[in-house]
Amino acid sequence: MPPNPSRLNALQLKTLTLFQEIARQPLFASEDPDSGAQVIHMLPDAHGDHFHIGRRVVLGRDATGLENPAVRKALARKGLIEDGPGGRLALTPAGQAYETGLRGKILHGSDH
């Protein structure tokens, strides 16, 4: 596991990992040219116990923090997400660069 300088808990780390992957998808996010943040326009729809982010599959049990206000508040307090244009969630440059170490553990399938 890489260093965790913001001391995120397990749920916060999983949620940040998912926001990072969502932010990489042009269908779900776009860059704010002024701040460099990735503004998330929408979250993927669930299909039963999982959902897709691009070619990756995420189990619902790993995504419980996406809509959790306490998780979002903690990530915002640590400067990893912020309110973007139109009240949308924006992943800050710090949030984009944060190494969670979970990408290969909670994002299943190939990304090629």
Side-chain angles (χ1 to χ4, degrees), residues 16-102:
L16 180 59
T17 301
L18 296 177
F19 284 148
Q20 290 170 336
E21 192 66 20
I22 291 165
R24 290 183 181 100
Q25 305 299 318
L27 176 65
F28 298 122
S30 61
E31 184 175 356
D32 179 342
D34 295 329
S35 68
Q38 288 290 330
V39 178
I40 297 176
H41 303 289
M42 59 186 265
L43 296 175
D45 292 324
H47 305 294
D49 65 348
H50 71 281
F51 62 92
H52 300 267
I53 303 174
R55 293 179 175 246
R56 309 305 292 263
V57 175
V58 178
L59 300 177
R61 69 175 182 240
D62 291 325
T64 59
L66 286 178
E67 298 287 349
N68 184 319
V71 171
R72 287 185 177 203
K73 185 175 182 178
L75 293 175
R77 189 175 58 251
K78 295 170 189 267
L80 303 172
I81 66 171
E82 62 188 11
D83 288 332
R88 294 184 172 115
L89 180 140
L91 185 66
T92 66
Q96 295 169 52
Y98 200 97
E99 181 55 52
T100 66
L102 296 178

